[in-house]
Coordinates of all heavy atoms in Angstrom, one line a residue:
M1 N 51.5 19.7 -30.0 CA 51.6 18.3 -29.6 C 52.3 18.2 -28.2 O 53.2 18.9 -28.0 CB 52.4 17.6 -30.7 CG 53.0 16.3 -30.4 SD 53.5 15.5 -31.9 CE 54.1 16.8 -33.0
A2 N 51.7 17.4 -27.3 CA 52.3 17.2 -26.0 C 53.5 16.3 -26.2 O 53.7 15.7 -27.2 CB 51.3 16.7 -25.0
I3 N 54.3 16.2 -25.1 CA 55.4 15.2 -25.0 C 54.9 14.1 -24.2 O 54.1 14.2 -23.3 CB 56.6 15.9 -24.4 CG1 57.0 17.2 -25.2 CG2 57.8 14.9 -24.3 CD1 57.5 16.9 -26.6
K4 N 55.4 12.9 -24.5 CA 55.1 11.7 -23.7 C 56.4 11.0 -23.4 O 57.4 11.1 -24.0 CB 54.1 10.8 -24.5 CG 54.7 10.1 -25.6 CD 53.8 9.1 -26.3 CE 54.5 8.5 -27.6 NZ 53.6 7.6 -28.3
I5 N 56.3 10.2 -22.3 CA 57.5 9.4 -21.9 C 57.2 7.9 -22.3 O 56.2 7.4 -22.0 CB 57.7 9.5 -20.4 CG1 58.1 11.0 -20.1 CG2 58.8 8.6 -19.9 CD1 58.2 11.3 -18.6
T6 N 58.2 7.4 -23.0 CA 58.0 6.0 -23.5 C 58.5 5.0 -22.4 O 59.1 5.3 -21.4 CB 58.9 5.7 -24.7 OG1 60.2 5.7 -24.4 CG2 58.5 6.9 -25.8
E7 N 58.3 3.7 -22.8 CA 58.6 2.6 -21.9 C 60.2 2.4 -21.9 O 60.7 1.5 -21.1 CB 58.0 1.3 -22.4 CG 58.4 0.9 -23.8 CD 57.6 -0.2 -24.3 OE1 56.4 -0.4 -23.9 OE2 58.1 -0.9 -25.2
D8 N 60.9 3.2 -22.6 CA 62.4 3.2 -22.4 C 62.9 3.9 -21.2 O 64.0 3.9 -20.8 CB 63.1 3.9 -23.6 CG 62.9 3.0 -24.9 OD1 62.7 1.8 -24.8 OD2 62.9 3.6 -26.0
C9 N 61.9 4.5 -20.4 CA 62.3 5.3 -19.2 C 63.0 4.4 -18.3 O 62.6 3.3 -18.0 CB 61.0 5.8 -18.6 SG 61.1 6.5 -17.0
I10 N 64.1 4.9 -17.7 CA 64.9 4.2 -16.7 C 64.7 4.6 -15.3 O 65.4 4.3 -14.4 CB 66.4 4.2 -17.0 CG1 66.9 5.7 -17.1 CG2 66.7 3.5 -18.4 CD1 68.5 5.8 -17.2
L11 N 63.6 5.5 -15.1 CA 63.2 5.9 -13.8 C 64.2 6.7 -13.1 O 64.4 6.7 -11.9 CB 62.8 4.7 -12.9 CG 61.7 3.8 -13.5 CD1 61.5 2.5 -12.7 CD2 60.4 4.5 -13.6
C12 N 65.0 7.5 -13.8 CA 66.1 8.3 -13.2 C 65.6 9.6 -12.6 O 66.2 10.1 -11.6 CB 67.2 8.6 -14.2 SG 66.8 9.9 -15.4
G13 N 64.4 10.1 -13.0 CA 63.8 11.2 -12.4 C 64.5 12.6 -12.8 O 64.1 13.6 -12.3
A14 N 65.3 12.5 -13.8 CA 66.0 13.8 -14.2 C 65.0 14.8 -14.8 O 65.2 16.1 -14.6 CB 67.1 13.5 -15.3
C15 N 64.0 14.3 -15.4 CA 63.1 15.3 -16.1 C 62.1 16.0 -15.1 O 61.7 17.2 -15.4 CB 62.2 14.5 -17.1 SG 61.3 13.1 -16.3
E16 N 61.8 15.3 -14.1 CA 60.7 15.9 -13.2 C 60.9 17.3 -12.7 O 59.9 18.1 -12.9 CB 60.5 14.9 -12.0 CG 59.3 15.3 -11.2 CD 59.2 14.4 -9.9 OE1 60.1 13.6 -9.6 OE2 58.2 14.6 -9.2
P17 N 62.0 17.6 -12.2 CA 62.2 19.0 -11.7 C 62.3 20.1 -12.8 O 62.3 21.2 -12.5 CB 63.5 18.9 -10.8 CG 64.2 17.8 -11.4 CD 63.2 16.8 -11.9
E18 N 62.5 19.6 -14.0 CA 62.7 20.6 -15.1 C 61.4 21.2 -15.7 O 61.5 22.1 -16.4 CB 63.5 19.9 -16.3 CG 64.9 19.3 -15.9 CD 65.8 20.4 -15.3 OE1 65.7 21.5 -15.8 OE2 66.5 20.1 -14.4
C19 N 60.3 20.5 -15.4 CA 59.1 20.9 -16.1 C 58.4 22.2 -15.4 O 58.1 22.2 -14.3 CB 58.0 19.8 -16.0 SG 56.5 20.2 -16.8
P20 N 58.3 23.2 -16.2 CA 57.7 24.5 -15.7 C 56.2 24.4 -15.3 O 55.7 25.3 -14.7 CB 58.0 25.5 -16.8 CG 58.0 24.6 -18.1 CD 58.6 23.3 -17.7
N21 N 55.6 23.3 -15.8 CA 54.2 23.2 -15.5 C 53.9 22.0 -14.5 O 52.8 21.7 -14.3 CB 53.4 22.8 -16.9 CG 53.5 23.9 -17.8 OD1 53.4 25.0 -17.5 ND2 53.8 23.6 -19.1
N22 N 55.0 21.5 -13.9 CA 54.8 20.4 -13.0 C 53.9 19.3 -13.6 O 53.0 18.8 -13.0 CB 54.2 20.9 -11.7 CG 54.6 20.0 -10.5 OD1 54.7 20.5 -9.4 ND2 54.8 18.7 -10.7
A23 N 54.2 18.9 -14.9 CA 53.4 18.0 -15.6 C 53.9 16.6 -15.5 O 53.3 15.6 -15.9 CB 53.3 18.4 -17.1
I24 N 55.1 16.4 -14.9 CA 55.8 15.1 -14.9 C 55.6 14.5 -13.4 O 55.9 15.2 -12.4 CB 57.3 15.3 -15.3 CG1 57.4 15.9 -16.6 CG2 58.0 13.9 -15.2 CD1 58.8 16.1 -17.1
Y25 N 55.3 13.3 -13.4 CA 55.1 12.6 -12.2 C 55.8 11.2 -12.1 O 56.0 10.6 -13.1 CB 53.5 12.3 -12.0 CG 52.8 13.6 -11.8 CD1 52.4 14.4 -12.8 CD2 52.4 14.0 -10.5 CE1 51.7 15.6 -12.6 CE2 51.7 15.2 -10.2 CZ 51.4 16.0 -11.3 OH 50.7 17.1 -11.1
E26 N 56.1 10.9 -10.9 CA 56.7 9.5 -10.7 C 55.5 8.5 -11.0 O 54.4 8.8 -10.9 CB 57.0 9.3 -9.1 CG 58.2 10.1 -8.7 CD 58.5 9.8 -7.2 OE1 57.9 8.8 -6.7 OE2 59.2 10.6 -6.6
P27 N 56.0 7.2 -11.3 CA 55.0 6.2 -11.6 C 54.0 6.1 -10.5 O 54.3 6.2 -9.3 CB 55.9 5.0 -11.7 CG 57.3 5.4 -11.9 CD 57.3 6.7 -11.4
D28 N 52.8 5.7 -10.9 CA 51.7 5.4 -10.0 C 51.4 6.5 -9.0 O 51.1 6.3 -7.9 CB 52.1 4.1 -9.2 CG 50.9 3.4 -8.8 OD1 49.8 3.6 -9.4 OD2 51.0 2.5 -7.9
T29 N 51.5 7.8 -9.5 CA 51.2 9.0 -8.6 C 50.0 9.7 -9.3 O 50.0 9.9 -10.5 CB 52.4 9.9 -8.6 OG1 53.6 9.2 -8.2 CG2 52.1 11.1 -7.7
A30 N 49.0 10.0 -8.5 CA 47.9 10.7 -9.0 C 48.3 12.1 -9.3 O 49.1 12.8 -8.5 CB 46.8 10.8 -8.0
W31 N 47.9 12.7 -10.4 CA 48.3 14.1 -10.8 C 47.2 15.0 -10.5 O 46.1 14.6 -10.5 CB 48.8 14.2 -12.2 CG 47.8 13.9 -13.3 CD1 47.4 12.7 -13.8 CD2 47.0 14.8 -14.0 NE1 46.5 12.8 -14.8 CE2 46.2 14.1 -14.9 CE3 46.9 16.2 -13.9 CZ2 45.3 14.8 -15.8 CZ3 46.0 16.9 -14.7 CH2 45.2 16.2 -15.6
K32 N 47.6 16.3 -10.3 CA 46.5 17.3 -10.1 C 46.9 18.6 -10.9 O 48.0 18.9 -11.1 CB 46.5 17.7 -8.6 CG 46.1 16.5 -7.7 CD 45.9 17.1 -6.3 CE 47.2 17.2 -5.5 NZ 47.0 17.5 -4.1
F33 N 45.8 19.2 -11.3 CA 46.0 20.5 -12.1 C 46.7 21.5 -11.2 O 47.5 22.4 -11.6 CB 44.7 21.0 -12.6 CG 44.3 20.5 -13.9 CD1 43.2 19.6 -14.1 CD2 45.0 20.8 -15.1 CE1 42.8 19.1 -15.3 CE2 44.6 20.3 -16.3 CZ 43.6 19.5 -16.4
S34 N 46.4 21.5 -9.8 CA 46.9 22.5 -8.9 C 48.4 22.4 -8.6 O 49.0 23.3 -8.2 CB 46.1 22.4 -7.6 OG 46.2 21.2 -7.0
D35 N 49.0 21.2 -8.9 CA 50.4 21.0 -8.6 C 51.3 21.9 -9.5 O 51.3 21.8 -10.8 CB 50.8 19.6 -8.9 CG 50.3 18.5 -7.9 OD1 49.9 18.9 -6.8 OD2 50.1 17.4 -8.3
G36 N 51.9 22.9 -8.9 CA 52.8 23.7 -9.7 C 52.2 24.7 -10.6 O 52.8 25.3 -11.5
T37 N 50.9 25.0 -10.4 CA 50.2 25.9 -11.3 C 49.4 26.9 -10.4 O 49.4 26.7 -9.2 CB 49.2 25.3 -12.3 OG1 48.1 24.8 -11.5 CG2 49.8 24.1 -13.0
T38 N 48.7 27.8 -11.0 CA 47.9 28.7 -10.2 C 46.4 28.2 -10.1 O 45.5 28.8 -9.5 CB 47.8 30.1 -10.7 OG1 47.4 30.1 -12.1 CG2 49.2 30.8 -10.6
L39 N 46.2 27.0 -10.7 CA 44.8 26.4 -10.7 C 44.5 25.9 -9.3 O 45.4 25.4 -8.6 CB 44.7 25.4 -11.7 CG 44.9 25.8 -13.2 CD1 44.7 24.7 -14.2 CD2 44.0 27.0 -13.6
K40 N 43.2 25.8 -9.0 CA 42.7 25.4 -7.7 C 42.1 24.0 -7.7 O 41.7 23.5 -6.7 CB 41.8 26.4 -7.1 CG 42.3 27.8 -7.0 CD 41.7 28.6 -5.8 CE 42.2 30.0 -5.7 NZ 43.7 30.2 -6.0
D41 N 42.2 23.3 -8.9 CA 41.6 22.1 -9.1 C 42.5 21.0 -8.3 O 43.5 20.6 -8.9 CB 41.4 21.8 -10.5 CG 40.8 20.4 -10.8 OD1 40.7 19.6 -9.9 OD2 40.3 20.3 -11.9
N42 N 42.0 20.5 -7.2 CA 42.8 19.5 -6.4 C 42.4 18.1 -6.6 O 42.9 17.2 -5.9 CB 42.6 19.8 -4.9 CG 43.5 20.9 -4.4 OD1 44.7 21.0 -4.9 ND2 43.0 21.8 -3.6
L43 N 41.6 17.9 -7.6 CA 41.1 16.5 -7.8 C 42.3 15.6 -8.3 O 43.1 16.0 -9.1 CB 40.1 16.5 -9.0 CG 39.4 15.2 -9.3 CD1 38.5 14.8 -8.1 CD2 38.5 15.3 -10.5
E44 N 42.5 14.5 -7.6 CA 43.5 13.5 -8.0 C 43.1 12.7 -9.2 O 42.0 12.1 -9.2 CB 43.9 12.6 -6.8 CG 44.4 13.4 -5.7 CD 45.1 12.5 -4.6 OE1 44.7 11.2 -4.6 OE2 45.9 13.0 -3.9
R45 N 43.9 12.7 -10.3 CA 43.5 12.1 -11.5 C 44.6 11.0 -11.9 O 45.7 11.1 -11.6 CB 43.6 13.2 -12.7 CG 42.5 14.3 -12.4 CD 42.8 15.4 -13.4 NE 42.0 16.6 -12.9 CZ 40.8 16.9 -13.3 NH1 40.2 16.2 -14.2 NH2 40.2 18.0 -12.8
Q46 N 44.1 10.0 -12.6 CA 44.9 8.9 -13.1 C 44.6 8.7 -14.5 O 44.4 7.5 -14.9 CB 44.8 7.6 -12.2 CG 45.3 7.8 -10.8 CD 45.3 6.5 -10.1 OE1 44.5 5.6 -10.3 NE2 46.3 6.3 -9.2
D47 N 44.4 9.7 -15.3 CA 44.1 9.6 -16.7 C 45.1 10.4 -17.5 O 46.1 10.9 -16.9 CB 42.7 10.1 -17.0 CG 42.5 11.5 -16.6 OD1 43.4 12.1 -16.0 OD2 41.4 12.0 -16.8
G48 N 44.9 10.6 -18.8 CA 45.7 11.5 -19.6 C 47.2 11.4 -19.5 O 47.9 12.3 -19.1
G49 N 47.7 10.2 -19.8 CA 49.1 10.0 -19.8 C 49.6 9.2 -18.6 O 50.8 8.8 -18.6
F50 N 48.8 9.0 -17.6 CA 49.2 8.2 -16.4 C 49.9 6.9 -16.7 O 49.5 6.2 -17.6 CB 47.9 8.0 -15.5 CG 48.2 7.2 -14.3 CD1 48.6 7.8 -13.1 CD2 48.0 5.8 -14.3 CE1 48.8 7.0 -12.0 CE2 48.3 5.0 -13.2 CZ 48.7 5.7 -12.0
S51 N 50.9 6.6 -15.9 CA 51.5 5.3 -15.9 C 51.9 4.7 -14.5 O 52.2 5.6 -13.7 CB 52.8 5.4 -16.7 OG 53.6 4.2 -16.7
D52 N 51.7 3.5 -14.3 CA 52.1 2.9 -13.1 C 53.4 2.2 -13.1 O 53.9 1.6 -12.2 CB 51.0 2.0 -12.5 CG 50.7 0.8 -13.4 OD1 51.4 0.7 -14.5 OD2 49.9 0.0 -13.1
E53 N 54.1 2.3 -14.3 CA 55.4 1.7 -14.5 C 56.5 2.7 -14.7 O 57.7 2.4 -14.3 CB 55.3 0.8 -15.7 CG 54.6 -0.5 -15.5 CD 54.7 -1.3 -16.8 OE1 55.7 -2.0 -16.9 OE2 53.8 -1.2 -17.6
F54 N 56.3 3.8 -15.4 CA 57.3 4.8 -15.8 C 56.9 6.1 -15.3 O 55.7 6.4 -15.0 CB 57.5 4.7 -17.3 CG 57.7 3.3 -17.8 CD1 56.7 2.7 -18.5 CD2 58.9 2.7 -17.6 CE1 56.9 1.4 -19.0 CE2 59.1 1.4 -18.1 CZ 58.2 0.7 -18.8
Y55 N 57.9 7.0 -15.3 CA 57.5 8.5 -15.1 C 56.5 8.8 -16.2 O 56.6 8.2 -17.3 CB 58.8 9.4 -15.2 CG 59.5 9.5 -13.9 CD1 60.3 8.5 -13.4 CD2 59.3 10.7 -13.1 CE1 60.9 8.6 -12.1 CE2 60.0 10.8 -11.9 CZ 60.8 9.7 -11.4 OH 61.4 9.8 -10.2
F56 N 55.7 9.7 -16.0 CA 54.7 10.1 -17.0 C 54.4 11.6 -17.1 O 54.7 12.3 -16.1 CB 53.4 9.3 -16.9 CG 52.5 9.7 -15.7 CD1 51.6 10.7 -15.8 CD2 52.8 9.1 -14.4 CE1 50.8 11.1 -14.7 CE2 52.0 9.5 -13.3 CZ 51.0 10.5 -13.5
I57 N 53.9 12.0 -18.2 CA 53.5 13.4 -18.4 C 52.1 13.5 -18.4 O 51.4 12.8 -19.2 CB 54.2 14.0 -19.7 CG1 55.7 13.9 -19.5 CG2 53.7 15.3 -20.0 CD1 56.4 14.3 -20.8
A58 N 51.5 14.4 -17.6 CA 50.0 14.6 -17.6 C 49.8 15.5 -18.9 O 50.2 16.6 -18.9 CB 49.6 15.3 -16.4
T59 N 49.2 14.9 -19.9 CA 49.0 15.5 -21.2 C 48.4 16.9 -21.1 O 48.8 17.8 -21.8 CB 48.1 14.6 -22.1 OG1 48.8 13.3 -22.1 CG2 48.0 15.2 -23.5
D60 N 47.4 17.0 -20.2 CA 46.7 18.3 -20.1 C 47.5 19.4 -19.5 O 47.1 20.5 -19.5 CB 45.4 18.0 -19.3 CG 44.3 17.4 -20.1 OD1 44.5 17.3 -21.3 OD2 43.3 16.9 -19.5
K61 N 48.7 19.0 -18.9 CA 49.5 20.1 -18.3 C 50.7 20.4 -19.2 O 51.5 21.3 -18.9 CB 49.9 19.7 -16.9 CG 48.8 19.6 -15.9 CD 49.2 19.2 -14.5 CE 50.0 20.3 -13.8 NZ 50.4 19.8 -12.4
C62 N 51.0 19.6 -20.2 CA 52.2 19.8 -21.0 C 52.0 20.8 -22.1 O 51.0 20.7 -22.8 CB 52.7 18.5 -21.6 SG 54.1 18.7 -22.8
T63 N 52.8 21.8 -22.1 CA 52.8 22.8 -23.2 C 53.9 22.8 -24.1 O 54.3 23.8 -24.8 CB 52.7 24.2 -22.5 OG1 53.9 24.4 -21.8 CG2 51.5 24.3 -21.6
E64 N 54.7 21.6 -24.1 CA 56.0 21.5 -24.8 C 56.9 22.7 -24.4 O 57.8 23.0 -25.1 CB 55.7 21.6 -26.3 CG 55.1 20.4 -26.9 CD 55.0 20.5 -28.4 OE1 56.0 20.8 -29.1 OE2 53.8 20.4 -28.9
C65 N 56.7 23.2 -23.2 CA 57.5 24.3 -22.7 C 57.3 25.6 -23.4 O 58.0 26.6 -23.2 CB 59.0 23.9 -22.6 SG 59.4 22.7 -21.4
V66 N 56.3 25.7 -24.3 CA 56.0 26.9 -25.0 C 55.7 28.0 -23.9 O 54.9 27.7 -23.0 CB 54.8 26.7 -26.0 CG1 54.3 28.1 -26.5 CG2 55.3 25.9 -27.2
G67 N 56.3 29.1 -24.2 CA 56.1 30.2 -23.2 C 57.1 30.3 -22.1 O 57.2 31.3 -21.4
F68 N 57.8 29.3 -22.0 CA 58.9 29.2 -21.0 C 60.3 29.0 -21.6 O 61.3 29.7 -21.2 CB 58.7 28.0 -20.0 CG 57.5 28.2 -19.1 CD1 56.4 27.5 -19.3 CD2 57.6 29.1 -18.0 CE1 55.2 27.7 -18.4 CE2 56.5 29.2 -17.1 CZ 55.4 28.5 -17.4
H69 N 60.4 28.0 -22.5 CA 61.7 27.7 -23.1 C 61.6 27.5 -24.6 O 60.5 27.2 -25.1 CB 62.2 26.4 -22.3 CG 62.3 26.5 -20.9 ND1 63.3 27.2 -20.2 CD2 61.6 25.9 -19.9 CE1 63.1 27.2 -18.9 NE2 62.0 26.4 -18.7
E70 N 62.8 27.5 -25.2 CA 62.8 27.2 -26.6 C 62.6 25.8 -27.0 O 62.2 25.5 -28.2 CB 64.3 27.6 -27.2 CG 64.6 29.1 -27.1 CD 63.6 29.9 -28.0 OE1 63.5 29.5 -29.2 OE2 63.1 30.8 -27.6
E71 N 62.8 24.8 -26.1 CA 62.6 23.4 -26.4 C 62.1 22.7 -25.2 O 62.3 23.2 -24.1 CB 63.9 22.8 -26.9 CG 65.1 22.9 -25.9 CD 66.3 22.2 -26.3 OE1 66.3 21.6 -27.4 OE2 67.3 22.3 -25.5
P72 N 61.5 21.5 -25.4 CA 61.0 20.8 -24.3 C 62.2 20.4 -23.3 O 63.1 19.8 -23.7 CB 60.4 19.5 -24.9 CG 60.0 20.0 -26.3 CD 61.1 21.0 -26.7
Q73 N 62.0 20.8 -22.1 CA 63.1 20.7 -21.1 C 63.3 19.2 -20.7 O 64.5 18.8 -20.4 CB 62.9 21.6 -19.9 CG 62.9 23.0 -20.2 CD 64.3 23.5 -20.8 OE1 65.2 23.6 -20.1 NE2 64.3 23.7 -22.1
C74 N 62.2 18.5 -20.6 CA 62.4 17.1 -20.2 C 63.2 16.3 -21.3 O 64.1 15.5 -21.0 CB 61.0 16.4 -20.1 SG 59.8 16.7 -21.4
A75 N 62.8 16.6 -22.6 CA 63.5 15.9 -23.7 C 65.0 16.3 -23.6 O 65.9 15.5 -23.9 CB 62.9 16.2 -25.0
A76 N 65.3 17.5 -23.3 CA 66.7 18.0 -23.3 C 67.6 17.3 -22.3 O 68.7 17.1 -22.5 CB 66.7 19.5 -23.1
V77 N 66.9 17.0 -21.1 CA 67.8 16.4 -20.0 C 67.7 14.9 -20.0 O 68.5 14.2 -19.3 CB 67.4 16.9 -18.7 CG1 67.6 18.4 -18.6 CG2 66.0 16.5 -18.3
C78 N 66.7 14.2 -20.7 CA 66.6 12.7 -20.5 C 67.8 12.0 -21.1 O 68.1 12.2 -22.3 CB 65.3 12.3 -21.3 SG 65.1 10.5 -21.2
P79 N 68.5 11.2 -20.3 CA 69.6 10.5 -20.8 C 69.4 9.4 -21.8 O 70.3 8.9 -22.4 CB 70.3 10.0 -19.4 CG 69.1 9.8 -18.6 CD 68.1 10.9 -18.9
V80 N 68.1 9.0 -21.8 CA 67.9 7.8 -22.8 C 66.9 8.3 -23.9 O 66.3 7.4 -24.6 CB 67.3 6.6 -22.1 CG1 68.4 6.0 -21.2 CG2 66.1 6.9 -21.3
D81 N 66.7 9.6 -24.0 CA 65.9 10.1 -25.1 C 64.4 9.5 -25.1 O 63.9 9.2 -26.2 CB 66.5 10.0 -26.4 CG 67.7 10.9 -26.5 OD1 67.8 11.9 -25.8 OD2 68.7 10.5 -27.3
C82 N 63.8 9.4 -23.9 CA 62.5 8.7 -24.0 C 61.3 9.7 -23.8 O 60.2 9.4 -23.7 CB 62.4 7.6 -22.9 SG 62.3 8.2 -21.3
C83 N 61.7 11.0 -23.9 CA 60.6 12.0 -23.9 C 60.4 12.5 -25.3 O 61.3 13.1 -25.9 CB 61.0 13.3 -23.0 SG 61.3 12.9 -21.3
V84 N 59.3 12.0 -25.9 CA 59.1 12.2 -27.4 C 57.8 12.8 -27.6 O 56.9 12.8 -26.8 CB 59.2 10.8 -28.1 CG1 60.6 10.2 -27.8 CG2 58.1 9.8 -27.6
D85 N 57.7 13.2 -28.9 CA 56.4 13.8 -29.4 C 55.2 12.8 -29.2 O 55.4 11.6 -29.6 CB 56.5 14.2 -30.9 CG 57.4 15.4 -31.1 OD1 57.7 16.1 -30.1 OD2 57.8 15.6 -32.2
D86 N 54.1 13.3 -28.7 CA 52.9 12.4 -28.6 C 52.0 12.7 -29.8 O 51.3 13.7 -29.8 CB 52.2 12.8 -27.2 CG 51.0 12.0 -27.0 OD1 50.6 11.2 -27.9 OD2 50.4 12.0 -25.9
E87 N 52.1 11.8 -30.7 CA 51.4 12.0 -32.0 C 49.9 12.0 -31.8 O 49.2 12.5 -32.7 CB 51.8 10.8 -33.0 CG 53.3 10.7 -33.2 CD 53.7 11.7 -34.2 OE1 52.9 12.3 -34.9 OE2 54.9 11.9 -34.3
D88 N 49.4 11.4 -30.7 CA 48.0 11.4 -30.4 C 47.5 12.7 -29.8 O 46.3 12.8 -29.6 CB 47.7 10.2 -29.5 CG 47.9 8.9 -30.2 OD1 47.8 8.9 -31.4 OD2 48.2 7.9 -29.5
N89 N 48.4 13.6 -29.5 CA 47.9 14.9 -28.8 C 48.6 16.0 -29.5 O 49.6 16.6 -28.9 CB 48.2 14.8 -27.3 CG 47.3 13.8 -26.6 OD1 46.1 14.1 -26.4 ND2 47.8 12.7 -26.2
R90 N 48.2 16.4 -30.6 CA 48.7 17.5 -31.4 C 48.1 18.8 -31.1 O 46.8 18.8 -31.0 CB 48.6 17.2 -32.9 CG 49.4 16.0 -33.4 CD 49.2 15.8 -34.9 NE 50.0 14.7 -35.5 CZ 51.3 14.9 -35.8 NH1 51.8 16.1 -35.7 NH2 52.0 13.9 -36.3
E91 N 48.9 19.8 -30.8 CA 48.4 21.1 -30.6 C 49.2 22.1 -31.4 O 50.4 21.9 -31.5 CB 48.4 21.5 -29.2 CG 47.4 20.6 -28.3 CD 47.9 20.5 -26.9 OE1 48.8 19.7 -26.6 OE2 47.3 21.2 -26.0
T92 N 48.6 23.3 -31.8 CA 49.4 24.3 -32.5 C 50.1 25.1 -31.4 O 49.8 25.1 -30.2 CB 48.5 25.3 -33.2 OG1 47.6 25.9 -32.3 CG2 47.6 24.5 -34.3
K93 N 51.1 25.9 -31.9 CA 51.8 26.8 -30.9 C 50.8 27.7 -30.2 O 51.0 27.9 -29.0 CB 52.9 27.6 -31.7 CG 54.1 27.0 -32.0 CD 55.2 27.2 -30.9 CE 56.5 26.6 -31.2 NZ 56.7 25.2 -31.3
E94 N 49.9 28.2 -30.9 CA 48.9 29.1 -30.3 C 48.1 28.4 -29.2 O 47.8 28.9 -28.2 CB 47.9 29.6 -31.4 CG 48.5 30.6 -32.3 CD 49.5 30.0 -33.4 OE1 49.3 28.8 -33.7 OE2 50.4 30.7 -33.8
Q95 N 47.7 27.1 -29.5 CA 47.0 26.3 -28.5 C 47.8 26.1 -27.3 O 47.4 26.2 -26.2 CB 46.4 25.0 -29.2 CG 45.3 25.2 -30.1 CD 45.0 24.0 -30.9 OE1 45.9 23.2 -31.3 NE2 43.7 23.7 -31.0
L96 N 49.1 25.8 -27.6 CA 50.0 25.5 -26.5 C 50.2 26.8 -25.6 O 50.3 26.7 -24.3 CB 51.3 25.0 -27.0 CG 51.3 23.6 -27.6 CD1 52.6 23.3 -28.4 CD2 51.1 22.5 -26.5
L97 N 50.3 27.9 -26.2 CA 50.5 29.1 -25.4 C 49.2 29.5 -24.7 O 49.4 29.9 -23.4 CB 50.8 30.3 -26.4 CG 51.3 31.6 -25.8 CD1 52.5 31.3 -24.9 CD2 51.6 32.6 -26.9
A98 N 48.1 29.2 -25.2 CA 46.8 29.4 -24.5 C 46.7 28.5 -23.3 O 46.3 28.8 -22.2 CB 45.6 29.3 -25.4
K99 N 47.2 27.3 -23.6 CA 47.2 26.2 -22.4 C 48.1 26.7 -21.3 O 47.7 26.6 -20.2 CB 47.7 24.9 -23.1 CG 47.5 23.7 -22.2 CD 48.0 22.5 -23.1 CE 48.0 21.2 -22.4 NZ 48.4 20.1 -23.4
K100 N 49.3 27.2 -21.7 CA 50.2 27.7 -20.7 C 49.6 28.8 -19.9 O 49.7 28.8 -18.7 CB 51.5 28.2 -21.4 CG 52.6 28.7 -20.5 CD 52.7 30.2 -20.6 CE 53.7 30.8 -19.6 NZ 53.7 32.2 -19.6
E101 N 49.0 29.7 -20.6 CA 48.3 30.9 -19.8 C 47.2 30.4 -19.0 O 46.9 31.0 -17.9 CB 47.9 31.9 -20.9 CG 49.2 32.6 -21.4 CD 49.0 33.5 -22.6 OE1 47.8 33.7 -23.0 OE2 50.0 34.1 -23.1
S102 N 46.5 29.3 -19.3 CA 45.4 28.9 -18.5 C 45.9 28.2 -17.3 O 45.2 28.1 -16.3 CB 44.5 27.9 -19.3 OG 45.1 26.6 -19.5
L103 N 47.1 27.7 -17.3 CA 47.7 27.0 -16.1 C 48.3 28.0 -15.2 O 48.5 27.7 -14.0 CB 48.8 26.0 -16.6 CG 48.3 24.8 -17.4 CD1 49.6 24.0 -18.0 CD2 47.5 23.9 -16.5
H104 N 48.7 29.2 -15.7 CA 49.4 30.1 -14.9 C 48.7 31.5 -15.0 O 49.1 32.3 -15.8 CB 50.9 30.2 -15.3 CG 51.6 28.9 -15.3 ND1 52.1 28.4 -14.1 CD2 51.8 28.0 -16.3 CE1 52.7 27.2 -14.5 NE2 52.5 27.0 -15.7
L105 N 47.7 31.7 -14.3 CA 46.8 32.9 -14.4 C 47.5 34.1 -13.8 O 48.2 34.0 -12.8 CB 45.5 32.7 -13.8 CG 44.6 31.6 -14.4 CD1 43.4 31.3 -13.6 CD2 44.3 31.9 -15.9
Ligands
LIG1 FE1 56.9 19.8 -19.0 FE2 58.0 21.0 -21.0 FE3 58.3 18.3 -20.8 FE4 55.9 19.3 -21.4 S1 57.8 19.4 -22.7 S2 56.4 17.8 -19.8 S3 55.9 21.3 -20.3 S4 59.1 19.9 -19.5

């Protein structure tokens, strides 16, 4: 399951630098697979978790920190606990690890 940021976000930005996959973006920012990964896909996207109001997590880049850390780093640093499980995007540990490996070849 990926992590998502809820509307409780206070726009502090504490989570953004913590993500090993560069999956977290400021509001209203197009995300790219190539940001912070080894992928070459530079297409600017505004889907998959995009928000124009709050920081958001690009679902396709979130691995719940599997392969890097014991726990989701964004959730660990968020002062208002608004980085939560995304029930609509469930993945197994194996799928998350494969996703991590696909982002960092
Ligand atoms: Fe990034 Fe980890 Fe948070 Fe996912 S759980 S957005 S990989 S910091």
